[in-house]
Amino acid sequence: MAGHRADFQYEIYLRGMTGEVPRLPTDMSRLEELTERRLGPGPVGYVAGSAGNGSTARANRAALDRRRIVPRMLRDVHERDLSAEVLGRTLSAPLALAPVGVLSIMHPEAETAAALAAAAQGVPFVLSSASSTPMEQVAEAMGDAERWFQLYWAKDREVTRSFLERARACGFGVLVVTLDTPLLAWRPRDLDQAYLPFLRGVGTANYFTDPAFLSGLAKPVHEDLDAAVLRFVDLFADPGKTWPDLAFLREHWDGPIVLKGVLHPDDARAAADAGMDGVVVSNHGGRQVAGAIAAADALPGVAAAIGDRLSVLFDSGVRTGDDVFKALALGARAVLLGRPYVYGLGLDGRAGVEHVIRCVLAEFDLTLALSGHAAPATVSAADLVEGAR
């Protein structure tokens, strides 16, 4: 990207000279409240909700807030380069859009709008298996832009094999395998609304267009939606999977494979021993295990265990540019941004997603420079202290 990401603030100020102010807040922590007011309780609850009483989601934020940045002075930060080497790729910044399913509940343009925003801003888009839009359609819209595919590992091997073949054929370069959702967690906000979009055939586009999935149906989807939904529910995830099963994925995917949901150093070592290329330190944004360790508290241990062998990525609780800085200091090479961009999508479509990306990266650029760094690679644990718990 030309210039510095921080220049976005001056663009905003200059537009203000003609009376124009941003359509959305520039404080990303305000987006959830605004989305709550504008969208229905079902969709908002599905995105914003967490497992149990929300303790893990709160812990994610507390763990990031507890760490404080120690700025250093009189370092040359006039010219900055935010690029990062991740999984054999040079990213324009250490940021990607996390996989989030069923985006059509937030905006009719769904995954396509988010993918186009990511492409326009030069960050990778990670498409969820549970998207509202078939992977081929998203890939066509993105052209040559960097895109990764997130896999929910189905019980049916042929469906999994077919997903991998399709994703590879339409240019998804990295496979992100979510491990922490072999079962749906107890999520009171969804339960109180009896709201699960999959049961309405929403978020099933990749399945309902998959030849291996369709071969298991007696009738086409449009003739018997209930049967298609039941087949989807039956094979969506598999709590019987174990570490040796990773060999199947390695056999059928020749690009980088990243395991998402790793929180324990021993699991990170097992990923390395299994020939994986990276892990995402994540607790699914607090959506899977109530009372779980905060992702930022787990990150240093995982990075110390395998950071010299695999790419360590991070998500869960990230809202701001300083959160990105802190994640890098704790050992991540890049960060996946989830809920904020989904709120941006719900509030203003593709433009809303672009706004979120630009805000987060502008704030990250400024935090980097004002803390005495000209590139992400120089950020380390020495730049943080821990405050009161």
Side-chain angles (χ1 to χ4, degrees):
M1 308 294 290
H4 290 121
R5 295 282 189 172
D7 295 342
F8 183 42
Q9 70 171 332
Y10 297 112
E11 181 182 321
I12 293 173
Y13 288 134
L14 287 172
R15 288 180 175 175
M17 299 293 289
T18 64
E20 180 182 348
V21 298
R23 288 167 55 89
L24 297 181
T26 55
D27 175 356
M28 298 295 95
S29 68
R30 293 178 54 203
L31 292 178
E32 181 175 339
E33 179 185 356
L34 193 59
T35 306
E36 293 260 15
R37 296 205 302 262
R38 292 194 188 176
L39 276 68
V44 170
Y46 185 81
V47 174
S50 303
N53 67 1
S55 65
T56 304
R58 292 192 297 274
N60 285 336
R61 283 303 318 152
L64 288 165
D65 288 340
R66 191 175 73 245
R67 276 130 176 139
R68 313 305 297 175
I69 299 167
V70 184
R72 301 297 304 276
M73 300 298 115
L74 292 176
R75 293 178 171 182
D76 184 357
V77 294
H78 176 68
E79 292 298 332
R80 299 180 301 284
D81 179 0
L82 301 191
S83 65
E85 298 295 323
V86 181
L87 297 165
R89 289 147 167 75
T90 301
L91 307 186
S92 66
L95 188 79
L97 296 193
V100 180
V102 293
L103 291 183
S104 62
I105 66 175
M106 301 299 285
H107 191 277
E109 295 177 8
E111 291 81 13
T112 301
L116 287 171
Q121 291 303 313
V123 301
F125 177 71
V126 189
L127 180 71
S128 172
S129 284
S131 64
S132 310
T133 314
M135 64 181 86
E136 290 82 4
Q137 186 175 326
V138 174
E140 183 178 4
M142 292 190 75
D144 294 331
E146 183 76 18
R147 51 187 176 270
W148 304 351
F149 183 72
Q150 177 270 339
L151 179 72
Y152 280 119
W153 200 350
K155 285 182 185 176
D156 189 318
R157 280 196 163 201
E158 292 309 309
V159 172
T160 297
R161 192 196 322 267
S162 181
F163 269 37
L164 299 182
E165 290 173 354
R166 290 170 62 195
R168 185 169 56 248
C170 54
F172 289 88
V174 173
L175 182 66
V176 180
V177 185
T178 296
L179 299 183
D180 59 17
T181 316
L183 301 166
L184 283 183
W186 187 257
R187 299 174 183 172
R189 288 189 69 168
D190 295 338
L191 290 163
D192 289 351
Q193 297 291 325
Y195 184 84
L196 188 62
F198 306 113
L199 299 185
R200 298 177 171 92
V202 180
T204 55
N206 285 316
Y207 298 85
F208 289 2
T209 56
D210 188 80
F213 179 91
L214 295 174
S215 69
L217 298 177
K219 296 179 181 179
V221 173
H222 69 275
E223 291 184 14
D224 193 346
L225 177 61
D226 289 346
V229 168
L230 286 173
R231 173 159 164 73
F232 165 81
V233 171
D234 181 61
L235 64 75
F236 174 71
D238 182 2
K241 291 284 194 304
T242 60
W243 290 99
D245 291 310
L246 289 170
F248 177 84
L249 300 181
R250 184 77 280 172
E251 179 184 352
H252 294 284
W253 184 267
D254 55 10
I257 301 177
V258 177
L259 303 185
K260 183 173 182 288
V262 172
L263 295 166
H264 195 290
D266 286 349
D267 286 346
R269 294 185 186 98
D273 293 343
M276 302 295 101
D277 301 280
V279 298
V280 183
V281 177
S282 167
N283 56 32
H284 216 103
R287 288 171 59 77
Q288 278 302 100
V289 179
I293 185 174
D297 286 336
L299 177 56
V302 171
I306 51 91
D308 59 340
R309 300 170 67 188
L310 305 184
S311 292
V312 177
L313 290 79
F314 175 80
D315 79 16
S316 298
V318 176
R319 298 292 180 271
T320 63
D322 59 284
D323 290 338
V324 176
F325 181 100
K326 291 175 183 179
L328 299 183
L330 293 171
R333 295 192 194 178
V335 168
L336 304 184
L337 183 70
R339 286 184 177 101
Y341 93 78
V342 180
Y343 298 141
L345 176 69
L347 293 167
D348 201 19
R350 172 183 169 178
V353 180
E354 287 206 50
H355 174 80
V356 168
I357 297 169
R358 296 186 77 187
C359 286
V360 170
L361 286 180
E363 187 177 19
F364 170 64
D365 187 9
L366 288 164
T367 303
L368 193 73
L370 292 170
S371 300
H373 296 273
T378 62
V379 177
S380 74
D383 294 297
L384 299 182
V385 295
E386 286 206 39
R389 291 181 181 270

